[in-house]
Amino acid sequence: VETAAQKLRGPVEILVVNTGGPPKGPFAAITGEMWRQGFESLWMGAVDSIQAALPAMIEARWGRILLVTSVAAREPMSGLNVSNGLRAGLTGMVKSLSTEVAGQGVTVNVQPEWDDIAAAAGALQQPEKVVLARATAAAETLWRSPLNS
């Protein structure tokens, strides 16, 4: 994420992380491999993106990180066992991270769900600096906000 963004316009100042959905199904039908796949895409995709962008934010003493998750983080839903567990954990991790870096000018927040990237970028008040990282188990792909075109 950081390297790709630097090639485009310099260090990441605002990072929006939106991971894909992990495997669905009743608990008994979810294999260990499905749990590992969900962890790799949902959890590590977010962690890897944040770790890539955070050092430059701390150095600049300014940065914004927004983790887009699901209402399943707060209100577990039937058939979404992997999502329910991992997203709740990510929410806790992000809240812990927010207290770690707040004194260094970096804010970290969680958005339970998000359909309108332009509205959220506007809410961050600097849409021209938004980097949206969507992480999957296979690869991380970087998109620039349509507002940057």
Side-chain angles (χ1 to χ4, degrees), residues 1-129:
V1 173
E2 181 70 12
T3 303
Q6 284 178 333
K7 287 179 183 176
L8 291 173
R9 296 203 182 171
V12 173
E13 294 176 334
I14 298 174
L15 175 70
V16 179
V17 180
N18 183 19
T19 62
K24 300 174 184 173
F27 187 87
I30 300 172
T31 65
E33 182 55 34
M34 292 167 79
W35 278 100
R36 283 184 281 284
Q37 174 191 359
F39 179 81
E40 189 63 33
S41 68
L42 199 142
W43 186 281
M44 291 309 299
V47 169
D48 289 345
S49 298
I50 293 168
Q51 285 184 328
L54 189 59
M57 292 178 181
I58 290 172
E59 183 178 334
R61 298 199 54 76
W62 195 95
R64 303 292 180 260
I65 298 171
L66 178 64
L67 176 67
V68 180
T69 182
S70 164
V71 295
R74 283 194 267 168
E75 190 64 39
M77 295 182 247
S78 179
L80 298 178
N81 292 288
V82 177
S83 181
N84 293 338
L86 293 175
R87 291 182 194 279
L90 276 174
T91 298
M93 184 270 298
V94 166
K95 288 181 178 184
S96 295
L97 177 60
S98 71
T99 60
E100 281 181 34
V101 298
Q104 298 169 318
V106 179
T107 61
V108 184
N109 293 290
V110 176
Q111 174 71 25
E113 52 183 32
W114 182 19
D115 293 323
D116 187 354
I117 187 171
L124 291 169
Q125 298 178 357
Q126 299 210 3
E128 72 281 1
K129 296 180 180 176

